[in-house]
Amino acid sequence: MLDSQAPMISVRNMWKVFGANPEQIIGNPDADLTRQELRAKTGNTIAVRDVSFDVAPGEVFVVMGLSGSGKSTLVRCMTRLIEPTRGELRFEGEDILQVDEKRLRELRKTRFSMVFQHFGLLPHRKVIDNVAYSLEINGVGKSERHSRANEVIELVGLQGYGQAYPEQLSGGMQQRVGLARALAVDPQVLFLDEPFSALDPLIRRDMQAEVIRLHHQLGKTMVFITHDLAEAVKLGDRIAIMRDGAVVQIGTPEELVAKPADDYVANFVRDFPKSQVLTLRWIARPPAIGEDMNGPILPPTITVNNATRQIVESNLPIRVMENGNLLGVVTSQDVLNVISGSEL
Amino acid sequence: MELKTRRFRRGTALLLAVSAMTFAFPAALPAQAAAKCGTVNLADNAWVGYEADLAVVSYVLKNSLGCKVVVKNLSEEVSWQGFPTGQVDAILENWGHADLATKYITQQKAAVDLGSTGNNGIIGWYVVPWMVAKYPDITNWKNLNKYASLFKTSESGSQGAFLDGDPSYVTNDAAIVKNLKLNYKVIFTGSEAALITSYRAAQAQKKPAIGYFYEPQWFLAEVPLVHIKLPAWTQGCDADPKTVACDYPPYPLNKVASAKFMNSGSPAATVIKNFKWTNADQNSVAKSLAVGKMKDDAAAKIWVTAHPAIVKQWLGN
Amino acid sequence: MSTTLLSRPSNESKPAEKKRSKLGFRLSILTCVFLFFAILLRGIATLPLDTSSLTPFQNWLNSVSDWIGNNRTSNPIFTFFINIIRDSINSFVTGIQYVISQPIGNNSAPLIGWFGIVVLLSFVAYAVANIRIAILVASGLVALGLLGFWQESMDTLALTLAAVVLALIVGIPLGICAGLFPRFEKLITPLLDFAQVMPTFVYLTPVTLFFLIGPASATIVTLVYALPPALRITAVALHEVPWSSVEAAISMGSTRMQALRKVQLPQAKRTIVVGINQTIMAALSMVTIAALIDAPGLGKVVIRALESLDIGSSFQAGLGIVILAVVLDRTTTAAASKVDAEMTLAISHKRHRQILIAGGVLSFVAIIFSRIFTWAGNFPGTGFIGSDIAKYTDNATNWFQAHFVNYTDGITNAVSYGLINPLQSILTNSPWFVTGIAFVGLGIIFGGKKLGIISSVCVLGIVGTGLWSDTMATLASTLVAAILTVAIGIIFGVWIGRSKRADRIIRPILDAGQVLPAFVYLVPFLGLFGATRFTAILAAIVYAAPASIKLMADGIAGVPATITEAGIAAGSSKWQMIIKVQLPSARRALALSTNQGIIYVLAMVVVGGLVGAGGLGYLVVAGFAQISLTGKGLAAGLAIVLLGIMLDRITQAIAARSTLQGNK
């Protein structure tokens, strides 16, 4: 997809161990103990375990895992809200773990911003002053920062609420303030830490649509943390699945659904409606001997869901072609298998 | 936020302006009598007899010499502390305190003994008067064990309760009880107020009460406690606090002043040095204060008006 | 954060039940073993000490205090450091006095006369709170004048203000440090405990040794007691700020200072104002005790009235202190809730500002008036209602004494023979190591090894002061007072917690009980109950019960509605509701109110020493009064602190335990 470009963020062999003498755990046989055993033995907890990945410019990179899997710690390590125990972290090639406090603050002020699960709004400030906060600490003058804040407030659909206090807004609106605040400095990367898990399902859906819209409109790189597979699939260009601090698998949604790396991931995706994710590429099979090869042609990138109608209505097997090459055929029986879950 | 800070700033400015103007404004209130002898710092210890001395001396200093009298409510020990620092000029009624006298008069030479106030202090054992009427022989210490069971209370267990007073007064009572083999237990009432209240209630309700007390004391005018005779005091019989088995010595009460004050040439120093009166004098003023609830100056005025000759003596005329 | 990783076992209730029955088992074993050895080894190693005898440690303390007295004028620590502090505090206090209470030079009134002060303070109350509070302030201040104590009240106010301002200047920054750096907080917590439990009497003499007699000493004595709440509550206020908003600010590139200034402090403001309120109340509670070292004001009136057993006058002055306390308390409380309101409600700033300017002008005119006209300078009259109040109080006390004195002996004897004597006899007659080990055992049972260590340090420390036997006597009275306090706390707490109307009527009385100086009611109590330990216990209860009642009432009122509704739905009667639903649900409040009950009772141990309680309290009083006993008084104060810390930690551990169980 975007692999050809230099990565925006690059994480290499990152570890975070909580407790006393964290360095000693890494590379020690203790590191292989289970969480309970390690805690009982040394009092340490490994929250992030040897994690490496790249995030490409403009990509929405989702980190997914159950609670306690280390995903929130990971995202905090990436902004150094928590100092990683070991590893390398590069942002556009700059070694972030080596920069001093001042440079780090500069980066935070201008390059990346963060949206939090519980919003983290300042209750004593009006919406507009919440949004303008980072401009304020950047030393931007009052009228300038207010006009910029108003623009962003409008962008997230909160026009007219600038003078309200956070407590007077609903949860969804408060998170819009959180988004606006993060966008106010026009950052290159947005880190979103389970931003919608505290919201009602309906509002969550609206907010997800909002993120997609903003992503299309602004093209920001995003690192999105969630425990909800549907959300991950809906938003993510690529998804990293975490378990006990380690990344189990990284891939596009369809890769995860089609080829789970282990039982853990398989279990995870089992109940997920695969037809929403899988493209014809994944279900096309070599034609059987004597199969009619005159059916309609479809590209491999179309999802099963979107192709279902044409496949079912066709009496002949569908040919999946890419650049003039035949990748395979699909019949309505194959689609049924995917939908009913017996395939893969 | 912004708005508020500005508001506060404006408020501060206003306040500053107000205070600046009040300072600048000419004071139009009537002035007090001009001071001639300056300021005299008198300690005020926690008993009414002292209060009486203080009332009369202050009254004379203020009205005859135009001094400004500053009264400092202090415990006895803390009053002595005030001599070397110049915070206390005089103590008007001192009860003994040989240790403090050694420290501040002999060693530090910060204070001077100004001699007797004319009052004689008696410290000793007393019993409520209704009991003397009923058990006349109780005033002899040898009979005390006979009556010990009468004095039993919830505090004393199987023994009789002997009431001790304000902890400022150094008492030998526990040793006396022990060495005279008396079947009593010393109960620390903890304050003069507690002690007096105990005697007052006992007399009113015809309950037994025995304990430590002293004269001159205004309360004796209300309830004439009866002095119990202990083995008579002889020089040195109370030298070792552990083996005391005799009565308390008589206390000639004296005045103590700071050396600095005495050398200052203040006319007030003369008055305090000459101040001398009788137990009856003190009791009459003390009673006006404690029972009559008069203000210091009012009580002092009555006595001063009635005794112009004595006051004249104090003033050194 | 999702880094809390410990998965909890699913069947939690069973082990908890087991734990609880195990606790009961351990407690009964401990009690039996203690009683067995206490009786077996009766009279051995009880460490008694005569009142006039001194241990080497106590003698050493004496020599320390002598050294201070002798070196004050020569040692550079004094001439360069302490004397400078003293002089600055002195001029600060006298400066305030010249503005509000003491005439300067040839004037007969201070810089601002009474009329100016009433208008100015009412205006300030309006600015920080609301119009109702402004009216309360105005009427409260006028009432002080009518009582005949205008100048004394202003002296008290000046001293309180000075101490509070200093406490805040020192306490808030330190509190912020404690809130930001947990290590610092851990370091100073024991010091704060020490300052709050140490009886003031103990350091009256040392403070005068260091800072001499005068406003500086009085201010410092008050400061020592008023500083801890300012510091602690500031730290708590910072802890209360949601971490998420701090994290958000840091993620946006704020510096530590910016996060503190723009995020943490604004959100902590309300709680810090509550801390100011507590600081003021603590300072006011020292008014009478500071008067013992010549602090000017109402406290002096109380002390002097006590000398001649003048109940009426002491009540009259006590009432003045209560009025001041109510005025200051209500103003700061209202200011705190206004901070809240300002956070969320957009108040019309323009109109508000106009009113403020008008009020400022009005105050200014009033101040000018108070400097021109005699009637506005010195409060006219000599107390229109004061003497009447004194007279009625005297009459009421006399009537009460005359009518109830026949019953009071019975009560005194019942409590003394029934509770105090047996308990004191067990505690003072059993060997110190038996009782000591029992304490350590209690610590281990409730708080594990750490509390066991704390308890043993306290026990050994008490033995080290040489006052074990006196400590045990004090402990007996303290326990009896605490038991009665908690009983009263439960009865009234349940009543108030269940009825809003009772709450409205009783709460002001409780407030008054907490601020009325004990000296005011000691004399009537003495008249009724004699110079006994029971009188001391009664005084302690008057002081401690309000806190206990309030905590219980809040606990009962705070029982979640779903629980009470479930109880009602199950058809419980009123008593079943109280006993089976509300009290068990408020278990944590019960434990806390026990804890506070004990701490408050301990604070009154010294006052108890003034009315016949003996024990440590008497030694502290004696140490203040007699130079030869100074060291012993200091040691007794130390013993009170050690006992207090031990009892506090154990009861806190019990409270923490009931929280864990309560959450299930």
Side-chain angles (χ1 to χ4, degrees):
Chain A
M1 274 170 113
L2 302 148
D3 303 51
S4 55
Q5 290 169 269
M8 177 72 95
I9 303 169
S10 146
V11 176
R12 287 290 171 274
N13 307 103
M14 185 180 279
W15 289 78
K16 176 65 196 179
V17 182
F18 288 109
N21 303 320
E23 277 283 347
Q24 290 177 8
I25 304 293
I26 303 169
N28 188 304
D30 283 349
D32 297 327
L33 295 173
T34 67
R35 203 154 258 185
Q36 282 83 352
E37 285 168 345
L38 180 65
R39 204 184 162 81
K41 184 170 174 193
T42 66
N44 292 85
T45 308
I46 301 178
V48 175
R49 184 191 290 266
D50 200 17
V51 168
S52 304
F53 59 84
D54 288 335
V55 180
E59 184 181 9
V60 179
F61 186 84
V62 175
V63 179
M64 203 196 75
L66 298 178
S67 74
S69 62
K71 54 191 192 304
S72 277
T73 311
L74 175 64
V75 76
R76 280 170 175 73
C77 285
M78 291 173 75
T79 50
R80 278 183 64 187
L81 284 176
I82 294 177
E83 289 292 339
T85 310
R86 191 184 283 182
E88 197 184 280
L89 171 66
R90 287 181 184 276
F91 179 77
E92 293 189 308
E94 185 177 3
D95 190 344
I96 300 297
L97 297 187
Q98 300 307 318
V99 301
D100 62 6
E101 274 285 317
K102 203 177 151 221
R103 172 72 183 146
L104 182 63
R105 276 203 303 277
E106 208 175 297
L107 288 168
R108 285 173 177 165
K109 280 181 194 170
T110 54
R111 303 300 190 79
F112 27 88
S113 34
M114 199 158 168
V115 180
F116 296 88
Q117 180 177 5
H118 298 294
F119 320 142
L121 300 179
L122 310 179
H124 57 288
R125 287 170 162 244
K126 291 173 185 165
V127 166
I128 190 160
D129 289 316
N130 261 289
V131 174
Y133 179 84
S134 44
L135 298 166
E136 184 182 329
I137 59 171
N138 265 335
V140 178
K142 188 170 175 180
S143 61
E144 196 188 331
R145 68 177 188 250
H146 273 191
S147 77
R148 168 71 187 145
N150 273 322
E151 277 172 36
V152 195
I153 288 171
E154 210 161 302
L155 183 69
V156 299
L158 279 181
Q159 48 271 55
Y161 288 100
Q163 298 302 312
Y165 283 90
E167 267 182 28
Q168 298 166 323
L169 305 181
S170 70
M173 288 162 90
Q174 289 193 29
Q175 195 56 299
R176 280 173 197 262
V177 179
L179 265 174
R181 181 175 67 180
L183 290 171
V185 289
D186 197 16
Q188 280 160 302
V189 182
L190 272 180
F191 294 93
L192 302 103
D193 179 23
E194 299 205 42
F196 309 138
S197 50
L199 303 178
D200 293 338
L202 281 179
I203 295 168
R204 198 184 307 163
R205 213 172 59 191
D206 284 352
M207 294 299 292
Q208 288 162 351
E210 185 76 19
V211 166
I212 293 171
R213 184 179 71 80
L214 288 170
H215 185 238
H216 284 162
Q217 198 174 337
L218 306 170
K220 307 278 182 211
T221 308
M222 295 188 184
V223 175
F224 195 106
I225 311 295
T226 183
H227 63 260
D228 176 2
L229 183 66
E231 187 169 78
V233 167
K234 194 167 178 182
L235 300 175
D237 291 322
R238 284 189 304 147
I239 300 170
I241 294 193
M242 286 187 79
R243 180 196 187 186
D244 282 352
V247 169
V248 190
Q249 186 174 9
I250 300 181
T252 61
E254 36 183 325
E255 279 170 340
L256 294 183
V257 173
K259 287 190 176 166
D262 62 8
D263 289 350
Y264 182 75
V265 181
N267 238 336
F268 229 113
V269 298
R270 175 176 299 144
D271 297 328
F272 191 77
K274 300 182 176 65
S275 56
Q276 276 179 22
V277 182
L278 287 185
T279 54
L280 296 187
R281 182 193 305 280
W282 295 97
I283 63 166
R285 57 176 171 77
I289 296 161
E291 222 169 344
D292 191 327
M293 295 304 286
N294 296 314
I297 297 171
L298 283 175
T301 49
I302 188 166
T303 62
V304 175
N305 252 13
N306 293 340
T308 303
R309 193 185 168 90
Q310 274 170 285
I311 297 169
V312 173
E313 281 175 359
S314 164
N315 294 325
L316 300 174
I318 301 287
R319 284 177 294 163
V320 181
M321 306 273 285
E322 192 177 38
N323 303 327
N325 301 321
L326 178 73
L327 297 179
V329 293
V330 179
T331 63
S332 45
Q333 185 57 47
D334 298 318
V335 171
L336 273 179
N337 284 345
V338 171
I339 293 173
S340 68
S342 60
E343 171 75 10
L344 301 160
Chain B
M1 244 2 247
E2 290 299 313
L3 228 155
K4 225 175 219 155
T5 354
R6 213 184 300 145
R7 191 172 83 214
F8 274 123
R9 261 185 223 136
R10 194 169 295 170
T12 325
L14 188 72
L15 208 69
L16 280 178
V18 170
S19 32
M21 290 196 61
T22 20
F23 274 103
F25 215 85
L29 291 169
Q32 270 183 338
K36 257 195 294 178
C37 91
T39 304
V40 184
N41 297 301
L42 298 178
D44 178 3
N45 294 164
W47 60 92
V48 178
Y50 191 104
E51 206 78 42
D53 290 24
L54 183 71
V56 171
V57 171
S58 307
Y59 183 85
V60 171
L61 291 182
K62 282 189 284 194
N63 291 293
S64 304
L65 298 176
C67 308
K68 182 172 187 230
V69 176
V70 177
V71 170
K72 304 201 165 176
N73 275 71
L74 300 167
S75 78
E76 294 164 84
E77 191 204 328
V78 178
S79 308
W80 282 81
Q81 268 183 33
F83 287 139
T85 61
Q87 290 178 302
V88 171
D89 290 329
I91 295 174
L92 296 178
E93 182 180 286
N94 174 56
W95 288 63
H97 292 299
D99 50 350
L100 291 167
T102 314
K103 186 167 168 186
Y104 291 102
I105 298 179
T106 319
Q107 290 172 359
Q108 295 191 10
K109 305 206 187 311
V112 189
D113 180 356
L114 294 186
S116 166
T117 64
N119 298 132
N120 278 314
I122 303 170
I123 292 182
W125 289 18
Y126 288 78
V127 68
V128 278
W130 74 265
M131 291 193 84
V132 181
K134 197 164 172 192
Y135 315 103
D137 62 345
I138 202 170
T139 54
N140 187 332
W141 70 270
K142 285 179 183 145
N143 299 320
L144 283 178
N145 274 344
K146 192 163 80 186
Y147 298 111
S149 62
L150 287 177
F151 293 101
K152 232 164 69 175
T153 69
S154 62
E155 307 304 293
S156 60
S158 57
Q159 300 168 306
F162 180 92
L163 304 176
D164 234 359
D166 186 322
S168 325
Y169 310 107
V170 185
T171 69
N172 303 327
D173 299 324
I176 296 173
V177 164
K178 195 171 149 207
N179 297 326
L180 293 181
K181 300 194 173 51
L182 296 175
N183 189 23
Y184 284 80
K185 183 176 174 191
V186 173
I187 302 298
F188 293 99
T189 56
S191 57
E192 189 186 58
L195 191 60
I196 293 179
T197 312
S198 301
Y199 289 130
R200 184 187 262 167
Q203 175 69 10
Q205 298 155 33
K206 299 278 177 286
K207 281 191 207 150
I210 182 171
Y212 166 99
F213 213 66
Y214 33 83
E215 348 185 355
Q217 223 298 349
W218 62 270
F219 177 66
L220 295 176
E222 182 188 322
V223 176
L225 299 175
V226 182
H227 196 175
I228 293 174
K229 284 176 192 66
L230 292 175
W233 178 80
T234 53
Q235 186 76 43
C237 79
D238 54 359
D240 180 1
K242 286 216 160 59
T243 58
V244 187
C246 58
D247 212 336
Y248 289 88
Y251 280 87
L253 305 183
N254 63 332
K255 304 150 287 185
V256 188
S258 91
K260 230 181 286 171
F261 172 67
M262 292 315 289
N263 295 332
S264 70
S266 162
T270 320
V271 171
I272 293 168
K273 194 174 177 195
N274 293 340
F275 165 70
K276 202 167 190 179
W277 62 353
T278 64
N279 280 13
D281 287 330
Q282 194 196 54
N283 281 341
S284 79
V285 178
K287 204 178 169 196
S288 314
L289 291 172
V291 185
K293 308 229 156 123
M294 292 169 96
K295 297 251 179 208
D296 280 14
D297 277 353
K301 191 176 175 186
I302 294 172
W303 187 88
V304 169
T305 328
H307 303 82
I310 302 178
V311 174
K312 210 171 159 195
Q313 234 169 14
W314 297 350
L315 287 165
N317 305 330
Chain C
M1 276 165 64
S2 61
T3 42
T4 40
L5 308 162
L6 272 183
S7 58
R8 288 199 183 153
S10 54
N11 52 343
E12 269 177 311
S13 58
K14 269 189 191 162
E17 249 166 49
K18 222 189 240 167
K19 226 182 243 167
R20 229 157 122 203
S21 60
K22 209 163 147 195
L23 177 78
F25 176 70
R26 283 182 184 170
L27 272 182
S28 35
I29 290 280
L30 183 73
T31 316
C32 293
V33 171
F34 167 69
L35 285 178
F36 176 75
F37 281 104
I39 291 163
L40 186 75
L41 303 173
R42 201 176 155 73
I44 300 171
T46 56
L47 311 181
L49 185 73
D50 279 350
T51 310
S52 51
S53 315
L54 294 174
T55 66
F57 173 67
Q58 295 161 3
N59 269 322
W60 176 77
L61 288 175
N62 262 349
S63 64
V64 170
S65 103
D66 278 351
W67 182 88
I68 295 170
N70 294 334
N71 288 275
R72 184 169 44 211
T73 45
S74 52
N75 194 298
I77 297 176
F78 286 98
T79 47
F80 287 108
F81 184 62
I82 290 184
N83 291 357
I84 290 171
I85 295 180
R86 185 191 73 216
D87 291 344
S88 352
I89 296 180
N90 269 342
S91 17
F92 183 49
V93 179
T94 41
I96 301 178
Q97 280 181 306
Y98 283 142
V99 176
I100 64 173
S101 65
Q102 294 288 345
I104 326 175
N106 291 331
N107 290 351
S108 71
L111 201 55
I112 306 179
W114 75 271
F115 187 66
I117 290 173
V118 170
V119 176
L120 180 68
L121 291 187
S122 312
F123 163 60
V124 170
Y126 173 73
V128 301
N130 55 48
I131 187 76
R132 275 182 44 222
I133 298 295
I135 292 169
L136 176 80
V137 168
S139 38
L141 290 175
V142 171
L144 290 174
L146 292 179
L147 275 175
F149 291 130
W150 179 260
Q151 190 181 348
E152 287 86 349
S153 307
M154 288 306 112
D155 272 330
T156 294
L157 186 64
L159 192 75
T160 309
L161 269 183
V164 167
V165 166
L166 292 175
L168 296 180
I169 289 176
V170 180
I172 290 181
L174 286 180
I176 290 172
C177 287
L180 295 180
F181 310 111
R183 243 185 235 166
F184 179 67
E185 189 174 22
K186 243 186 194 159
L187 192 78
I188 57 169
T189 302
L191 290 177
L192 297 180
D193 290 347
F194 197 86
Q196 282 188 304
V197 183
M198 190 74 163
T200 318
F201 262 90
V202 175
Y203 50 83
L204 281 181
T205 313
V207 165
T208 56
L209 275 174
F210 273 103
F211 296 98
L212 307 181
I213 307 146
S217 287
T219 311
I220 287 167
V221 164
T222 312
L223 182 67
V224 171
Y225 192 67
L227 180 69
L231 203 162
R232 273 183 217 255
I233 296 175
T234 305
V236 168
L238 286 187
H239 289 315
E240 278 175 359
V241 174
W243 179 245
S244 64
S245 63
V246 181
E247 199 179 33
I250 291 173
S251 85
M252 284 184 279
S254 311
T255 58
R256 201 69 197 258
M257 270 316 277
Q258 280 170 331
L260 178 67
R261 212 155 40 85
K262 295 183 180 250
V263 178
Q264 288 175 287
L265 285 184
Q267 291 186 64
K269 207 160 103 188
R270 185 199 133 83
T271 312
I272 292 178
V273 177
V274 173
I276 296 176
N277 169 287
Q278 292 296 306
T279 308
I280 293 176
M281 292 299 117
L284 266 182
S285 70
M286 297 301 294
V287 165
T288 21
I289 290 188
L292 291 171
I293 48 170
D294 201 38
L298 292 167
K300 223 168 171 168
V301 181
V302 173
I303 297 286
R304 287 191 72 171
L306 197 66
E307 282 167 22
S308 51
L309 304 183
D310 182 353
I311 298 169
S313 305
S314 77
F315 181 76
Q316 193 185 341
L319 198 62
I321 296 174
V322 172
I323 291 173
L324 260 185
V326 169
V327 163
L328 292 171
D329 176 54
R330 295 297 183 268
T331 309
T332 42
T333 309
S337 51
K338 193 171 176 186
V339 169
D340 242 10
E342 273 180 1
M343 228 181 243
T344 46
L345 298 173
I347 294 170
S348 153
H349 285 293
K350 200 173 160 200
R351 188 162 162 263
H352 196 62
R353 213 174 336 156
Q354 285 168 347
I355 295 173
L356 285 186
I357 291 171
V361 171
L362 204 66
S363 311
F364 178 69
V365 171
I367 290 169
I368 301 294
F369 260 49
S370 77
R371 292 186 52 71
I372 300 175
F373 303 110
T374 315
W375 63 262
N378 290 316
F379 202 93
T382 48
F384 295 108
I385 53 169
S387 45
D388 286 339
I389 288 180
K391 206 164 69 202
Y392 288 130
T393 316
D394 278 341
N395 292 344
T397 333
N398 289 340
W399 180 87
F400 199 79
Q401 281 192 7
H403 286 80
F404 285 90
V405 84
N406 294 326
Y407 312 103
T408 53
D409 266 4
I411 299 174
T412 312
N413 287 337
V415 176
S416 301
Y417 290 114
L419 280 171
I420 313 174
N421 286 352
L423 198 58
Q424 185 166 343
S425 145
I426 291 176
L427 288 170
T428 51
N429 284 323
S430 68
W432 70 268
F433 49 85
V434 171
T435 317
I437 288 171
F439 273 121
V440 177
L442 270 182
I444 291 173
I445 288 177
F446 284 110
K449 204 162 71 182
K450 209 174 140 203
L451 190 53
I453 293 172
I454 295 178
S455 300
S456 44
V457 168
C458 289
V459 166
L460 292 176
I462 293 170
V463 172
T465 60
L467 299 169
W468 178 262
S469 180
D470 288 297
T471 307
M472 289 303 108
T474 295
L475 177 64
S477 297
T478 303
L479 288 180
V480 172
I483 291 167
L484 295 175
T485 299
V486 172
I488 291 171
I490 292 174
I491 295 167
F492 282 85
V494 167
W495 183 30
I496 296 176
R498 287 171 57 90
S499 150
K500 277 244 159 67
R501 223 171 93 216
D503 190 315
R504 257 204 314 280
I505 298 167
I506 295 177
R507 233 171 238 269
I509 301 174
L510 298 180
D511 291 344
Q514 275 178 304
V515 286
L516 191 67
F519 295 87
V520 171
Y521 47 81
L522 282 184
V523 174
F525 281 7
L526 275 170
L528 285 170
F529 301 100
T532 60
R533 288 161 300 167
F534 180 70
T535 302
I537 287 174
L538 216 53
I541 291 174
V542 172
Y543 182 63
S548 213
I549 294 173
K550 282 182 191 172
L551 278 169
M552 257 333 273
D554 293 345
I556 294 284
V559 171
T562 49
I563 295 181
T564 42
E565 277 165 11
I568 294 167
S572 321
S573 71
K574 186 175 158 192
W575 286 111
Q576 285 169 329
M577 274 299 287
I578 294 174
I579 290 165
K580 306 211 167 197
V581 179
Q582 290 178 312
L583 276 180
S585 305
R587 200 165 36 207
R588 180 179 148 74
L590 182 61
L592 274 181
S593 89
T594 310
N595 173 276
Q596 286 303 298
I598 289 181
I599 298 302
Y600 274 78
V601 166
L602 271 174
M604 291 293 279
V605 160
V606 175
V607 170
L610 291 169
V611 290
L616 296 175
Y618 173 80
L619 292 176
V620 170
V621 176
F624 170 62
Q626 289 178 39
I627 191 163
S628 56
L629 292 180
T630 304
K632 197 162 187 178
L634 282 171
L638 201 61
I640 294 177
V641 173
L642 291 167
L643 185 66
I645 288 177
M646 185 166 69
L647 294 177
D648 174 56
R649 291 297 134 82
I650 292 176
T651 45
Q652 267 188 17
I654 297 172
R657 205 168 249 281
S658 39
T659 316
L660 283 179
Q661 287 167 0
N663 279 347
K664 292 262 160 65

